[in-house]
Short mmCIF file of all heavy atoms in Angstrom, two decimals:
data_model
loop_
_atom_site.label_atom_id
_atom_site.label_comp_id
_atom_site.label_asym_id
_atom_site.label_seq_id
_atom_site.Cartn_x
_atom_site.Cartn_y
_atom_site.Cartn_z
N VAL W 118 5.23 1.09 6.20
CA VAL W 118 5.22 2.50 5.66
C VAL W 118 4.19 2.62 4.56
O VAL W 118 4.08 1.69 3.68
CB VAL W 118 6.66 2.72 5.12
CG1 VAL W 118 6.57 4.06 4.25
CG2 VAL W 118 7.63 2.85 6.15
N ASN W 119 3.35 3.59 4.56
CA ASN W 119 2.35 3.71 3.57
C ASN W 119 2.84 4.38 2.32
O ASN W 119 3.80 5.27 2.30
CB ASN W 119 1.26 4.72 4.04
CG ASN W 119 0.44 4.19 5.23
OD1 ASN W 119 -0.36 3.30 5.11
ND2 ASN W 119 0.80 4.62 6.42
N VAL W 120 2.49 3.72 1.18
CA VAL W 120 2.90 4.22 -0.19
C VAL W 120 1.70 4.70 -0.99
O VAL W 120 0.77 3.96 -1.06
CB VAL W 120 3.63 3.06 -0.92
CG1 VAL W 120 3.94 3.33 -2.27
CG2 VAL W 120 4.91 2.61 -0.13
N SER W 121 1.83 5.87 -1.37
CA SER W 121 0.73 6.48 -2.12
C SER W 121 0.72 5.98 -3.61
O SER W 121 1.70 5.63 -4.08
CB SER W 121 0.73 7.99 -2.06
OG SER W 121 1.77 8.41 -2.99
N PRO W 122 -0.47 6.16 -4.23
CA PRO W 122 -0.61 5.67 -5.66
C PRO W 122 0.55 6.32 -6.54
O PRO W 122 1.16 5.48 -7.25
CB PRO W 122 -1.91 6.13 -6.09
CG PRO W 122 -2.71 6.16 -4.72
CD PRO W 122 -1.73 6.57 -3.73
N SER W 123 0.83 7.62 -6.49
CA SER W 123 1.73 8.05 -7.36
C SER W 123 3.14 7.71 -7.04
O SER W 123 4.08 7.71 -7.80
CB SER W 123 1.59 9.65 -7.52
OG SER W 123 1.87 10.23 -6.30
N GLN W 124 3.40 7.48 -5.75
CA GLN W 124 4.66 6.97 -5.41
C GLN W 124 4.99 5.62 -6.05
O GLN W 124 6.04 5.29 -6.54
CB GLN W 124 4.77 6.70 -3.81
CG GLN W 124 5.58 7.62 -3.14
CD GLN W 124 5.50 7.32 -1.61
OE1 GLN W 124 4.55 7.18 -1.01
NE2 GLN W 124 6.67 6.87 -1.06
N LEU W 125 3.98 4.82 -5.98
CA LEU W 125 4.10 3.41 -6.68
C LEU W 125 4.38 3.65 -8.13
O LEU W 125 5.14 2.88 -8.83
CB LEU W 125 2.98 2.56 -6.43
CG LEU W 125 3.18 1.08 -6.72
CD1 LEU W 125 4.03 0.35 -5.75
CD2 LEU W 125 1.96 0.35 -7.07
N GLY W 126 3.80 4.63 -8.73
CA GLY W 126 4.02 4.92 -10.19
C GLY W 126 5.30 5.41 -10.52
O GLY W 126 5.78 5.32 -11.73
N SER W 127 6.01 5.98 -9.56
CA SER W 127 7.26 6.65 -9.89
C SER W 127 8.41 5.63 -9.88
O SER W 127 8.54 4.74 -9.03
CB SER W 127 7.62 7.66 -8.73
OG SER W 127 8.95 7.87 -8.57
N PRO W 128 9.30 5.82 -10.91
CA PRO W 128 10.47 4.89 -10.94
C PRO W 128 11.39 5.03 -9.92
O PRO W 128 12.29 4.16 -9.72
CB PRO W 128 11.16 5.27 -12.40
CG PRO W 128 10.60 6.70 -12.72
CD PRO W 128 9.24 6.82 -11.95
N ASP W 129 11.32 6.11 -9.14
CA ASP W 129 12.30 6.45 -8.00
C ASP W 129 12.02 5.46 -6.75
O ASP W 129 12.85 5.25 -5.98
CB ASP W 129 12.11 7.86 -7.54
CG ASP W 129 12.66 8.82 -8.54
OD1 ASP W 129 13.48 8.38 -9.42
OD2 ASP W 129 12.15 10.00 -8.58
N LEU W 130 10.84 4.96 -6.72
CA LEU W 130 10.41 4.16 -5.50
C LEU W 130 11.40 3.11 -5.14
O LEU W 130 11.77 2.96 -3.99
CB LEU W 130 9.01 3.69 -5.58
CG LEU W 130 8.57 2.98 -4.36
CD1 LEU W 130 8.37 3.74 -3.17
CD2 LEU W 130 7.27 2.08 -4.68
N ILE W 131 11.69 2.29 -6.15
CA ILE W 131 12.49 1.14 -5.89
C ILE W 131 13.88 1.49 -5.32
O ILE W 131 14.40 1.03 -4.32
CB ILE W 131 12.80 0.34 -7.14
CG1 ILE W 131 11.49 0.00 -7.87
CG2 ILE W 131 13.67 -0.92 -6.89
CD1 ILE W 131 10.63 -0.92 -6.91
N ARG W 132 14.47 2.62 -5.87
CA ARG W 132 15.73 3.21 -5.41
C ARG W 132 15.62 3.75 -3.99
O ARG W 132 16.48 3.43 -3.12
CB ARG W 132 16.17 4.28 -6.39
CG ARG W 132 17.56 4.92 -6.07
CD ARG W 132 18.09 5.89 -7.10
NE ARG W 132 17.06 6.88 -7.50
CZ ARG W 132 16.87 8.02 -6.89
NH1 ARG W 132 17.68 8.31 -5.77
NH2 ARG W 132 16.04 8.96 -7.21
N HIS W 133 14.50 4.44 -3.75
CA HIS W 133 14.31 4.98 -2.45
C HIS W 133 14.21 3.90 -1.41
O HIS W 133 14.63 3.91 -0.30
CB HIS W 133 13.05 5.94 -2.36
CG HIS W 133 13.15 7.13 -3.13
ND1 HIS W 133 12.22 7.86 -3.68
CD2 HIS W 133 14.29 7.85 -3.40
CE1 HIS W 133 12.58 8.93 -4.22
NE2 HIS W 133 13.83 8.92 -4.21
N VAL W 134 13.50 2.78 -1.66
CA VAL W 134 13.40 1.74 -0.73
C VAL W 134 14.70 1.04 -0.53
O VAL W 134 15.22 0.77 0.61
CB VAL W 134 12.40 0.64 -1.31
CG1 VAL W 134 12.35 -0.66 -0.40
CG2 VAL W 134 10.95 1.25 -1.33
N ARG W 135 15.44 0.88 -1.60
CA ARG W 135 16.72 0.24 -1.53
C ARG W 135 17.74 1.03 -0.61
O ARG W 135 18.38 0.47 0.27
CB ARG W 135 17.29 -0.10 -2.82
CG ARG W 135 18.50 -1.11 -2.78
CD ARG W 135 19.23 -1.20 -4.10
NE ARG W 135 18.38 -1.82 -5.22
CZ ARG W 135 18.07 -1.15 -6.33
NH1 ARG W 135 18.51 0.12 -6.50
NH2 ARG W 135 17.32 -1.73 -7.29
N GLU W 136 17.66 2.39 -0.80
CA GLU W 136 18.55 3.22 -0.07
C GLU W 136 18.25 3.28 1.38
O GLU W 136 19.12 3.32 2.23
CB GLU W 136 18.56 4.71 -0.76
CG GLU W 136 19.34 4.66 -2.02
CD GLU W 136 19.09 6.09 -2.81
OE1 GLU W 136 18.32 6.95 -2.37
OE2 GLU W 136 19.73 6.20 -3.88
N ALA W 137 16.91 3.35 1.56
CA ALA W 137 16.43 3.31 3.04
C ALA W 137 16.97 2.12 3.78
O ALA W 137 17.27 2.16 4.84
CB ALA W 137 14.96 3.56 3.07
N LEU W 138 16.84 0.98 3.04
CA LEU W 138 17.33 -0.24 3.71
C LEU W 138 18.86 -0.35 3.85
O LEU W 138 19.28 -0.69 4.99
CB LEU W 138 16.87 -1.50 2.79
CG LEU W 138 15.39 -1.78 2.72
CD1 LEU W 138 15.15 -2.80 1.71
CD2 LEU W 138 14.85 -2.28 4.00
N VAL W 139 19.54 0.08 2.96
CA VAL W 139 21.09 0.11 3.03
C VAL W 139 21.55 1.08 4.09
O VAL W 139 22.34 0.68 4.93
CB VAL W 139 21.65 0.41 1.62
CG1 VAL W 139 23.16 0.67 1.82
CG2 VAL W 139 21.41 -0.75 0.63
N ASP W 140 21.02 2.31 4.05
CA ASP W 140 21.45 3.31 4.94
C ASP W 140 21.04 2.98 6.39
O ASP W 140 21.91 3.40 7.29
CB ASP W 140 20.71 4.73 4.51
CG ASP W 140 21.22 5.28 3.31
OD1 ASP W 140 22.17 4.67 2.69
OD2 ASP W 140 20.71 6.25 2.77
N SER W 141 20.00 2.32 6.73
CA SER W 141 19.58 2.00 8.03
C SER W 141 20.05 0.64 8.48
O SER W 141 20.29 0.53 9.66
CB SER W 141 18.07 1.99 8.12
OG SER W 141 17.46 0.83 7.31
N GLY W 142 20.31 -0.28 7.58
CA GLY W 142 20.68 -1.60 7.90
C GLY W 142 19.54 -2.45 8.27
O GLY W 142 19.80 -3.55 8.83
N LEU W 143 18.32 -1.91 8.09
CA LEU W 143 17.14 -2.65 8.40
C LEU W 143 17.04 -3.90 7.43
O LEU W 143 17.12 -3.69 6.22
CB LEU W 143 15.84 -1.84 8.34
CG LEU W 143 14.55 -2.42 8.73
CD1 LEU W 143 14.55 -2.62 10.25
CD2 LEU W 143 13.34 -1.67 8.24
N PRO W 144 16.78 -5.15 7.96
CA PRO W 144 16.60 -6.32 7.05
C PRO W 144 15.35 -6.03 6.16
O PRO W 144 14.37 -5.64 6.73
CB PRO W 144 16.34 -7.46 8.05
CG PRO W 144 16.81 -6.97 9.37
CD PRO W 144 16.78 -5.49 9.37
N PRO W 145 15.39 -6.27 4.93
CA PRO W 145 14.37 -6.03 4.03
C PRO W 145 13.05 -6.61 4.49
O PRO W 145 11.94 -6.02 4.40
CB PRO W 145 14.82 -6.72 2.72
CG PRO W 145 16.25 -6.72 2.71
CD PRO W 145 16.65 -6.76 4.16
N ALA W 146 13.07 -7.77 4.99
CA ALA W 146 11.85 -8.57 5.46
C ALA W 146 11.20 -7.89 6.67
O ALA W 146 10.02 -8.19 6.97
CB ALA W 146 12.22 -10.00 5.87
N SER W 147 11.81 -6.96 7.26
CA SER W 147 11.27 -6.13 8.35
C SER W 147 10.54 -5.01 7.95
O SER W 147 9.80 -4.37 8.72
CB SER W 147 12.30 -5.70 9.36
OG SER W 147 13.05 -6.78 9.97
N LEU W 148 10.59 -4.68 6.63
CA LEU W 148 9.94 -3.46 6.03
C LEU W 148 8.67 -3.98 5.41
O LEU W 148 8.70 -4.65 4.43
CB LEU W 148 10.86 -2.67 5.10
CG LEU W 148 10.22 -1.33 4.49
CD1 LEU W 148 10.04 -0.36 5.64
CD2 LEU W 148 11.20 -0.79 3.48
N VAL W 149 7.54 -3.36 5.83
CA VAL W 149 6.24 -3.53 5.17
C VAL W 149 5.75 -2.35 4.34
O VAL W 149 5.85 -1.29 4.84
CB VAL W 149 5.17 -3.90 6.16
CG1 VAL W 149 3.74 -4.07 5.47
CG2 VAL W 149 5.52 -5.15 6.97
N LEU W 150 5.48 -2.52 3.09
CA LEU W 150 4.95 -1.36 2.32
C LEU W 150 3.41 -1.55 2.24
O LEU W 150 2.98 -2.61 1.77
CB LEU W 150 5.67 -1.28 1.03
CG LEU W 150 7.11 -1.06 1.01
CD1 LEU W 150 7.73 -1.04 -0.47
CD2 LEU W 150 7.53 0.08 1.80
N GLU W 151 2.70 -0.48 2.63
CA GLU W 151 1.27 -0.58 2.64
C GLU W 151 0.68 0.10 1.41
O GLU W 151 0.97 1.23 1.08
CB GLU W 151 0.67 0.05 3.79
CG GLU W 151 1.13 -0.68 5.16
CD GLU W 151 0.23 -0.28 6.32
OE1 GLU W 151 -0.61 0.58 6.10
OE2 GLU W 151 0.51 -0.86 7.41
N LEU W 152 -0.04 -0.67 0.56
CA LEU W 152 -0.61 -0.18 -0.72
C LEU W 152 -2.11 -0.23 -0.52
O LEU W 152 -2.63 -1.16 0.15
CB LEU W 152 -0.07 -1.01 -1.86
CG LEU W 152 1.27 -1.41 -1.93
CD1 LEU W 152 1.44 -2.56 -2.89
CD2 LEU W 152 2.16 -0.12 -2.36
N THR W 153 -2.82 0.73 -1.19
CA THR W 153 -4.21 0.64 -1.23
C THR W 153 -4.62 0.02 -2.68
O THR W 153 -3.96 0.14 -3.51
CB THR W 153 -4.92 2.02 -1.01
OG1 THR W 153 -4.44 2.88 -1.97
CG2 THR W 153 -4.69 2.48 0.38
N GLU W 154 -5.90 -0.47 -2.59
CA GLU W 154 -6.36 -1.08 -3.83
C GLU W 154 -6.46 -0.16 -5.09
O GLU W 154 -6.26 -0.48 -6.12
CB GLU W 154 -7.71 -1.69 -3.56
CG GLU W 154 -7.69 -2.94 -2.69
CD GLU W 154 -9.02 -3.33 -2.18
OE1 GLU W 154 -9.42 -2.80 -1.19
OE2 GLU W 154 -9.58 -4.15 -2.89
N SER W 155 -6.57 1.18 -4.70
CA SER W 155 -6.69 2.25 -5.77
C SER W 155 -5.48 2.25 -6.67
O SER W 155 -5.50 2.47 -7.82
CB SER W 155 -6.95 3.59 -5.22
OG SER W 155 -5.90 4.00 -4.35
N VAL W 156 -4.27 1.94 -6.02
CA VAL W 156 -2.97 2.01 -6.84
C VAL W 156 -3.03 0.85 -7.82
O VAL W 156 -2.46 0.85 -8.92
CB VAL W 156 -1.76 1.95 -5.98
CG1 VAL W 156 -1.81 2.86 -4.84
CG2 VAL W 156 -1.42 0.50 -5.63
N LEU W 157 -3.68 -0.32 -7.41
CA LEU W 157 -3.72 -1.45 -8.33
C LEU W 157 -4.68 -1.26 -9.56
O LEU W 157 -4.51 -1.80 -10.62
CB LEU W 157 -4.08 -2.71 -7.53
CG LEU W 157 -3.26 -2.82 -6.19
CD1 LEU W 157 -3.81 -4.13 -5.49
CD2 LEU W 157 -1.81 -3.01 -6.52
N VAL W 158 -5.71 -0.42 -9.27
CA VAL W 158 -6.75 -0.25 -10.20
C VAL W 158 -6.23 0.75 -11.32
O VAL W 158 -6.43 0.64 -12.53
CB VAL W 158 -7.99 0.38 -9.60
CG1 VAL W 158 -9.10 0.71 -10.67
CG2 VAL W 158 -8.59 -0.66 -8.62
N ARG W 159 -5.45 1.70 -10.88
CA ARG W 159 -5.07 2.83 -11.69
C ARG W 159 -4.37 2.35 -12.87
O ARG W 159 -4.63 2.69 -14.03
CB ARG W 159 -4.11 3.78 -10.87
CG ARG W 159 -4.41 5.31 -11.22
CD ARG W 159 -3.27 6.03 -10.58
NE ARG W 159 -3.80 6.97 -9.57
CZ ARG W 159 -3.14 7.96 -9.14
NH1 ARG W 159 -1.86 8.19 -9.33
NH2 ARG W 159 -3.70 8.81 -8.10
N ASP W 160 -3.27 1.53 -12.70
CA ASP W 160 -2.57 0.99 -13.77
C ASP W 160 -1.97 -0.40 -13.38
O ASP W 160 -0.87 -0.54 -12.88
CB ASP W 160 -1.29 1.89 -13.95
CG ASP W 160 -0.55 1.49 -15.25
OD1 ASP W 160 -0.71 0.32 -15.78
OD2 ASP W 160 0.28 2.37 -15.78
N PRO W 161 -2.80 -1.37 -13.65
CA PRO W 161 -2.68 -2.76 -13.13
C PRO W 161 -1.25 -3.30 -13.64
O PRO W 161 -0.62 -4.01 -12.91
CB PRO W 161 -3.82 -3.51 -13.58
CG PRO W 161 -4.84 -2.58 -13.97
CD PRO W 161 -4.02 -1.33 -14.29
N VAL W 162 -0.90 -3.00 -14.86
CA VAL W 162 0.36 -3.66 -15.42
C VAL W 162 1.54 -3.02 -14.76
O VAL W 162 2.39 -3.80 -14.39
CB VAL W 162 0.36 -3.30 -16.99
CG1 VAL W 162 1.58 -3.89 -17.58
CG2 VAL W 162 -0.93 -3.99 -17.62
N LEU W 163 1.62 -1.72 -14.56
CA LEU W 163 2.56 -1.01 -13.95
C LEU W 163 2.75 -1.49 -12.50
O LEU W 163 3.77 -1.75 -11.96
CB LEU W 163 2.47 0.47 -14.01
CG LEU W 163 3.56 1.22 -13.30
CD1 LEU W 163 4.88 1.14 -13.99
CD2 LEU W 163 3.22 2.80 -13.29
N ALA W 164 1.57 -1.54 -11.89
CA ALA W 164 1.49 -1.93 -10.36
C ALA W 164 2.09 -3.35 -10.30
O ALA W 164 2.94 -3.61 -9.37
CB ALA W 164 0.02 -1.86 -9.95
N ALA W 165 1.64 -4.23 -11.15
CA ALA W 165 2.18 -5.66 -10.99
C ALA W 165 3.65 -5.71 -11.20
O ALA W 165 4.38 -6.40 -10.41
CB ALA W 165 1.49 -6.51 -12.06
N GLU W 166 4.16 -4.90 -12.20
CA GLU W 166 5.64 -4.87 -12.30
C GLU W 166 6.37 -4.28 -11.09
O GLU W 166 7.42 -4.83 -10.62
CB GLU W 166 5.87 -4.01 -13.59
CG GLU W 166 7.43 -3.74 -13.86
CD GLU W 166 8.23 -5.00 -14.06
OE1 GLU W 166 7.59 -6.00 -14.39
OE2 GLU W 166 9.47 -4.87 -13.83
N ARG W 167 5.87 -3.14 -10.48
CA ARG W 167 6.42 -2.55 -9.32
C ARG W 167 6.48 -3.59 -8.07
O ARG W 167 7.39 -3.66 -7.39
CB ARG W 167 5.66 -1.33 -8.93
CG ARG W 167 6.12 0.01 -9.46
CD ARG W 167 7.49 0.26 -9.24
NE ARG W 167 8.18 0.59 -10.52
CZ ARG W 167 7.80 1.71 -11.15
NH1 ARG W 167 6.94 2.54 -10.69
NH2 ARG W 167 8.44 1.97 -12.30
N LEU W 168 5.34 -4.30 -7.96
CA LEU W 168 5.21 -5.19 -6.91
C LEU W 168 6.26 -6.29 -6.96
O LEU W 168 6.87 -6.74 -5.98
CB LEU W 168 3.79 -5.75 -6.87
CG LEU W 168 2.77 -5.04 -5.87
CD1 LEU W 168 2.79 -3.56 -6.08
CD2 LEU W 168 1.41 -5.60 -6.03
N ARG W 169 6.46 -6.76 -8.29
CA ARG W 169 7.52 -7.78 -8.50
C ARG W 169 8.84 -7.23 -8.13
O ARG W 169 9.66 -7.91 -7.41
CB ARG W 169 7.59 -8.17 -9.94
CG ARG W 169 6.84 -9.58 -10.26
CD ARG W 169 7.32 -10.07 -11.57
NE ARG W 169 6.90 -9.19 -12.63
CZ ARG W 169 5.74 -8.88 -13.25
NH1 ARG W 169 4.67 -9.57 -12.77
NH2 ARG W 169 5.56 -8.06 -14.14
N GLU W 170 9.20 -6.02 -8.44
CA GLU W 170 10.45 -5.44 -8.19
C GLU W 170 10.54 -5.27 -6.66
O GLU W 170 11.68 -5.56 -6.11
CB GLU W 170 10.63 -4.01 -8.80
CG GLU W 170 10.73 -4.01 -10.30
CD GLU W 170 10.65 -2.72 -10.92
OE1 GLU W 170 9.73 -1.85 -10.51
OE2 GLU W 170 11.48 -2.42 -11.79
N LEU W 171 9.52 -4.93 -5.93
CA LEU W 171 9.60 -4.70 -4.50
C LEU W 171 9.79 -6.07 -3.80
O LEU W 171 10.64 -6.11 -2.84
CB LEU W 171 8.34 -3.99 -3.95
CG LEU W 171 8.16 -2.44 -4.40
CD1 LEU W 171 6.88 -1.98 -4.05
CD2 LEU W 171 9.39 -1.68 -3.61
N ARG W 172 9.09 -6.99 -4.33
CA ARG W 172 9.26 -8.34 -3.69
C ARG W 172 10.63 -8.84 -3.87
O ARG W 172 11.29 -9.58 -3.00
CB ARG W 172 8.25 -9.32 -4.31
CG ARG W 172 6.80 -8.96 -4.09
CD ARG W 172 5.99 -10.20 -4.61
NE ARG W 172 6.05 -11.24 -3.60
CZ ARG W 172 5.14 -11.34 -2.63
NH1 ARG W 172 4.28 -10.35 -2.37
NH2 ARG W 172 5.29 -12.33 -1.80
N ALA W 173 11.25 -8.54 -4.98
CA ALA W 173 12.59 -8.96 -5.34
C ALA W 173 13.67 -8.36 -4.31
O ALA W 173 14.68 -8.93 -4.08
CB ALA W 173 12.95 -8.62 -6.76
N LEU W 174 13.29 -7.22 -3.77
CA LEU W 174 14.13 -6.60 -2.74
C LEU W 174 13.87 -7.29 -1.40
O LEU W 174 14.74 -7.04 -0.41
CB LEU W 174 13.76 -5.04 -2.60
CG LEU W 174 14.06 -4.10 -3.59
CD1 LEU W 174 13.61 -2.74 -3.24
CD2 LEU W 174 15.59 -4.04 -3.90
N GLY W 175 12.96 -7.97 -1.31
CA GLY W 175 12.68 -8.82 -0.07
C GLY W 175 11.73 -8.13 0.97
O GLY W 175 11.68 -8.67 2.10
N VAL W 176 11.21 -7.02 0.57
CA VAL W 176 10.25 -6.29 1.54
C VAL W 176 8.95 -7.05 1.54
O VAL W 176 8.60 -7.75 0.47
CB VAL W 176 10.11 -4.77 1.22
CG1 VAL W 176 11.41 -4.15 1.29
CG2 VAL W 176 9.43 -4.62 -0.12
N LYS W 177 8.11 -6.83 2.55
CA LYS W 177 6.72 -7.39 2.61
C LYS W 177 5.73 -6.33 2.00
O LYS W 177 5.88 -5.09 2.16
CB LYS W 177 6.39 -7.79 3.86
CG LYS W 177 7.24 -9.02 4.40
CD LYS W 177 6.57 -9.59 5.65
CE LYS W 177 7.27 -10.95 5.95
NZ LYS W 177 7.01 -11.39 7.30
N LEU W 178 4.68 -6.84 1.44
CA LEU W 178 3.54 -5.99 0.91
C LEU W 178 2.26 -6.23 1.64
O LEU W 178 1.94 -7.38 1.93
CB LEU W 178 3.48 -6.29 -0.51
CG LEU W 178 4.72 -6.09 -1.42
CD1 LEU W 178 4.43 -6.49 -2.86
CD2 LEU W 178 5.15 -4.63 -1.37
N ALA W 179 1.66 -5.15 1.93
CA ALA W 179 0.39 -5.19 2.60
C ALA W 179 -0.74 -4.49 1.77
O ALA W 179 -0.44 -3.41 1.18
CB ALA W 179 0.41 -4.65 4.02
N LEU W 180 -1.87 -5.06 1.72
CA LEU W 180 -3.04 -4.38 1.14
C LEU W 180 -3.75 -3.60 2.24
O LEU W 180 -4.34 -4.27 3.11
CB LEU W 180 -3.85 -5.40 0.35
CG LEU W 180 -4.66 -4.92 -0.84
CD1 LEU W 180 -3.74 -4.11 -1.80
CD2 LEU W 180 -5.17 -6.16 -1.54
N ASP W 181 -3.76 -2.33 2.19
CA ASP W 181 -4.30 -1.45 3.23
C ASP W 181 -5.75 -1.32 2.95
O ASP W 181 -6.22 -1.26 1.84
CB ASP W 181 -3.48 -0.05 3.24
CG ASP W 181 -3.66 0.61 4.51
OD1 ASP W 181 -4.26 0.20 5.42
OD2 ASP W 181 -2.82 1.68 4.62
N ASP W 182 -6.43 -0.93 4.05
CA ASP W 182 -7.92 -0.60 3.95
C ASP W 182 -8.60 -1.72 3.17
O ASP W 182 -9.62 -1.35 2.46
CB ASP W 182 -8.10 0.75 3.24
CG ASP W 182 -7.39 1.83 3.99
OD1 ASP W 182 -7.09 1.73 5.09
OD2 ASP W 182 -7.07 2.89 3.29
N PHE W 183 -8.21 -2.93 3.31
CA PHE W 183 -8.86 -4.01 2.53
C PHE W 183 -10.41 -4.04 2.68
O PHE W 183 -10.84 -4.03 3.83
CB PHE W 183 -8.15 -5.38 2.79
CG PHE W 183 -8.74 -6.48 1.97
CD1 PHE W 183 -8.32 -6.45 0.53
CD2 PHE W 183 -9.58 -7.44 2.40
CE1 PHE W 183 -8.76 -7.40 -0.23
CE2 PHE W 183 -9.96 -8.41 1.48
CZ PHE W 183 -9.62 -8.37 0.21
N GLY W 184 -11.04 -4.28 1.56
CA GLY W 184 -12.43 -4.51 1.55
C GLY W 184 -13.23 -3.20 1.10
O GLY W 184 -14.36 -3.22 0.77
#
Side-chain angles (χ1 to χ4, degrees):
V118 171
N119 293 282
V120 173
S121 76
S123 62
Q124 249 182 302
L125 192 77
S127 154
D129 295 332
L130 178 67
I131 306 296
R132 181 170 54 83
H133 290 155
V134 171
R135 197 188 293 118
E136 285 172 358
L138 291 170
V139 169
D140 292 350
S141 65
L143 186 71
S147 301
L148 183 64
V149 178
L150 299 181
E151 299 194 357
L152 316 161
T153 54
E154 289 166 274
S155 59
V156 316
L157 309 178
V158 176
R159 219 190 242 193
D160 187 343
V162 178
L163 178 66
E166 173 58 22
R167 271 300 131 63
L168 264 50
R169 256 195 306 282
E170 293 172 314
L171 289 169
R172 297 188 76 86
L174 289 180
V176 302
K177 291 195 172 164
L178 301 175
L180 211 43
D181 204 351
D182 306 336
F183 184 69

